[in-house]
Every structure is written in structure tokens, then in C-alpha cells.
Amino acid sequence: MSNVLVVDDDHGHRAMLTTLLAGWGYRVETAADGGRAVEIVNERPFDAILMDIRMLRVSGLQALADIHAFNPAIPVIIMTAYASVDTAVTALKSGAYDYLTKPLDFDKLKVTLERSMEHSRLREENRLLKASLANRFSRESIIGNSPAMTRLFTLASQVAPTEATVLISGESGTGKEMIAGLIHFNSARREGPLVKINCAALVETLLESELFGYEKGAFTGAAQRREGKFRQAQGGSIFLDEVSEMSPGMQVKLLRVLQEREVTRVGGNEATPVDVRVIAATNKNLRQLAAKNLFREDLYYRLNVVNLLVPPLRERKGDIPLLVQHFLRVFAEKNRRNIAGVTPQAMDWLIRYHWPGNVRELANTIERGVVLARGDYLSDEDIALSLQDADGIDDKNPEEASPLMDKPLEEVERLTILKTLETAGGNKSEAARRLGITRRTLHKKLKSYGLM
């Protein structure tokens, strides 16, 4: 039940509103003066305040200012019998949610109250979402304490508070988007949006309209004007992922936006100023592409004010145990599996593997391992089973990393069953339990192997 505070020095009007609002399902408290209203709001929370503007001791406008100094999130609806444009403008400029005139239109009052609370709820959800995102992109949330990652975090923390354009380079799957989030949510723009777009996912015409917006009738299907990503990111940051995949024509248009700090909608002629920080990312070497005339050199220098290189996983193998434990915890909870950890042999395999897909590949491998695990710990067999197409062990004899590495799936299953039966001392019931299958299924498998 929502709490509403009614503030009015007219006793009869207060009593009428109390009865009306209670009938609509609200819990109502009252105050006969703006000063008392401020005291009550400081003592307990309210979802909305309905307040007269003219009262003898402390006016509604003064009380509004005092209440919002304490808690600006509370929606305050002003009431007055002295309707005038000036009074309305003053109330709204002072932070009132809305303005109603006496005698009140009850239908309008009901709608206004409901909208004010919905507005307040959305503001709170937005605040919690931003807090959650800020936590997700905090230094503590990005796992890694290797020298390479420590250098990256140090540089990112230096550039975050500035307005510098940042180019984040690194192989696919290394976590460039996480670094972009880390920069945004540790900048002065943290309260603004972080808008993301994958430049490789759209053809040139669609990318232009997505970035810059379009006017009504600009093309077939453009039924109304639409703001682009740059305008949506106003006051915040825009993350241009895979920026190297932009066509030459789009590179020219992006360069103009970076130079002029304004965008023109597709089909329009009016340039609109934008206040946006640009963070770009690429898995290619833009310097080399620019040298080969495959990427505009002037755009490269505009984007590369500060360059952050995210190291591949193979160059920070000391972080792998930390990442494994993190992903194990996340995916065990997600898939409702009780997995206590990984065996030493499995961890050794994970550390020696080359990880061409970087952290993303490691995460996928651990999730599949969790789903396929037959015991309380991920074994090297579980890992190999989850990564049948793996290539590249950092070892002189990669085939020795796991006895199951390059074998067909049926052979992997056979060896896993036989090894589990052996470790269970030949106890078929215990082996079946560890494998997560019934004793009957185990019996059939062994029979197919000619062992029964």
C-alpha cells in the first residue's frame, strides 16, 4: 500500500482528501502546515505528497524546496485555488511533479497520483540499475591481478576521469566491453547512459540511421523521427565496438561528428549538438590498416587519443585459476549443479591450453563442463568433453595434455566410464552415481563395450 501525505491548512479539504484517497487504497497522513510536512517527511518515507501552495506559516513552495533538499525523489503535486500561469511555472521550476487547481478534478487527481508513483518507481529502478551496472563494471568485478592486467587497470583508472576519446584494442573475447564499462562508470559521466553499438553487425545504411537517427519519411518505413545512438548517449558515453568494420563512407561521417560534435539525422539538414564521450574498440591493428589505406588515418588519430590494449588470456595465465573459480561459481549456481571445484589435473590442462577464444572461450568451456560434470569436481575428462574441437596446448607435447583430447565422442565416453568404474573400485552403483546415470544404463554401456 502506497503512503500519501496530504498538506493543506483547510481542515475540511484535508478530511475530504483523506476519505477519497483511502477509498482508492492509499495509506494517508495529513499536515496542516508546510513546516509540519517537512518534519513528517524527515521522520518517515512517502510515495507522494499532495500539497496546497498557499498556507499561513510555511507556504507550499517553501515546503517543496525543503522537502526536495532532503529527498528530491519524492513526487510533490501542488494544489491551489489561485490558478495562474506564473504560479504553475514557479511550482514546476521548483521541482513539483505536477500542478492541480481547486476545486480538484478527482479523475485527474487519481491519474496524476498514479503517474507520479510510476515515475518515482521507474526512477528508483533506474537508480538501482545504474548502481548494479557500476558494480558490474567496477575494478573488483573484472578479474585479474597479473602484471599485464594491473598495467591495464592503472591506465584505465587514469583516463576514466578525463574526457579523452579511448580506443580499446585486443583480440575477440578478451573483455573490451568490460573495460569500456569500467571507464564510463568511473567517469564524471557515470550518471549518463552508456550506449553500445556493434559496427560490424549492420550494413552502412542501417548503421548510419542507428548512429545518427533519421527524419520522418527519410526512407521506406520511417514513419516518424527517431533519435540515433549519439543523441541517446547525450551526457554519457557511446561504445563503438568493432569500429574497424565501418565502411569508408561511414568513417567520413564519424570523423565529422568527432570534429564538429554534432549529428545530422538521415534525411535532415539540421545539425544537432551532442555531448558524448566516444569509446571505440577493435580486434584489429588500426595503425596497420591506416598504413595500408584500409582505414582513414585522420579517424584513427581522432579515436586513438588514448589506446588501451587488453592482453589475450595466453599472456596472463596467472589469472586463469581466478577466472575458473569465478565462472565455476556463476555457472554452478545458474545450472543448479553442486560443483565444488576442479581437479589439479583439470586446472593444469586449463592453464596449458592456448585459449584462442580468450576469456569468452574459457567461460563457455567451464559452463559446458559444469553441465556435463559427472562428479563434485570438474576433471580433465569433463573439460576435454566440453571442448572437443580444441586446438593448441601450450606444451611441447600437446597430445599429452589430456588422454581424451582428440578422440571421438564415443571413445571419450567409454574411457570416462571405465576410468570412473576403476576409481570406484569396481563398484557399479558408486560408478553410476558419480557418472550421473542409472545402474541399468551403466550395465548397458558396459555390455556394449563387451565387458559384461
Side-chain angles (χ1 to χ4, degrees), residues 327-339 363-364 366-372:
F327 292 136
L328 196 66
R329 182 172 60 255
V330 170
F331 294 127
E333 180 178 345
K334 173 185 173 182
N335 294 287
R336 297 181 293 280
R337 297 297 308 274
N338 185 24
I339 307 295
N364 292 342
I366 297 301
E367 181 168 21
R368 286 194 296 270
V370 165
V371 172
L372 298 172

Side-chain angles (χ1 to χ4, degrees), residues 50-270:
L50 192 59
M51 184 157 55
D52 192 21
I53 200 167
R54 292 201 175 187
M55 291 177 284
L56 290 177
R57 193 165 66 88
V58 177
S59 72
L61 287 179
Q62 181 58 54
L64 170 64
D66 293 342
I67 288 169
H68 275 186
F70 171 71
N71 185 353
I74 302 176
V76 178
I77 301 167
I78 292 292
M79 305 179 293
T80 183
Y82 303 91
S84 73
V85 174
D86 290 342
T87 307
V89 169
T90 301
L92 295 174
K93 282 185 175 180
S94 298
Y97 173 77
D98 208 342
Y99 176 89
L100 301 174
T101 58
K102 295 178 179 179
L104 298 177
D105 179 327
F106 294 157
D107 289 337
K108 185 175 181 181
L109 170 62
K110 187 174 184 179
V111 170
T112 303
L113 266 176
E114 290 172 351
R115 286 179 177 171
S116 73
M117 292 183 185
E118 177 67 9
H119 177 75
S120 183
R121 183 185 65 79
L122 291 174
R123 279 185 61 175
E124 178 62 12
E125 286 183 358
N126 189 46
R127 184 190 68 79
L128 292 174
L129 176 61
K130 284 182 177 179
S132 175
L133 286 171
N135 183 61
R136 178 189 170 196
F137 292 110
S138 67
R139 165 64 181 90
E140 292 72 24
S141 68
I142 302 178
I143 298 168
N145 56 16
S146 61
M149 289 301 287
T150 299
R151 287 193 297 271
L152 175 63
F153 291 137
T154 299
L155 190 53
S157 66
Q158 288 179 290
V159 71
T162 73
E163 289 293 310
T165 301
V166 179
L167 178 63
I168 305 173
S169 305
E171 297 176 7
S172 295
T174 51
K176 296 186 290 295
E177 184 177 329
M178 293 292 288
I179 300 303
L182 179 70
I183 292 169
H184 172 76
F185 286 105
N186 286 277
S187 74
R189 295 176 176 268
R190 68 178 66 87
E191 296 301 321
L194 172 60
V195 177
K196 306 171 186 176
I197 186 166
N198 188 327
C199 301
L202 299 170
V203 297
E204 180 177 352
T205 53
L206 288 178
L207 181 59
E208 181 179 5
S209 60
E210 279 293 307
L211 284 175
F212 310 137
Y214 53 81
E215 297 287 354
K216 180 180 178 180
F219 50 82
T220 303
Q224 59 185 12
R225 172 191 283 184
R226 180 181 174 185
E227 298 290 359
K229 299 293 187 182
F230 270 94
R231 287 292 299 168
Q232 293 171 25
Q234 183 75 1
S237 307
I238 187 168
F239 177 56
L240 305 175
D241 199 10
E242 305 297 354
V243 70
S244 61
E245 301 306 312
M246 278 188 174
S247 67
M250 275 304 303
Q251 290 178 35
V252 172
K253 292 169 184 175
L254 176 59
L255 178 63
R256 181 181 178 279
V257 172
L258 295 178
Q259 290 173 335
E260 306 297 331
R261 294 290 168 178
E262 58 185 25
V263 296
T264 302
R265 299 182 191 90
V266 176
N269 298 310
E270 182 182 350

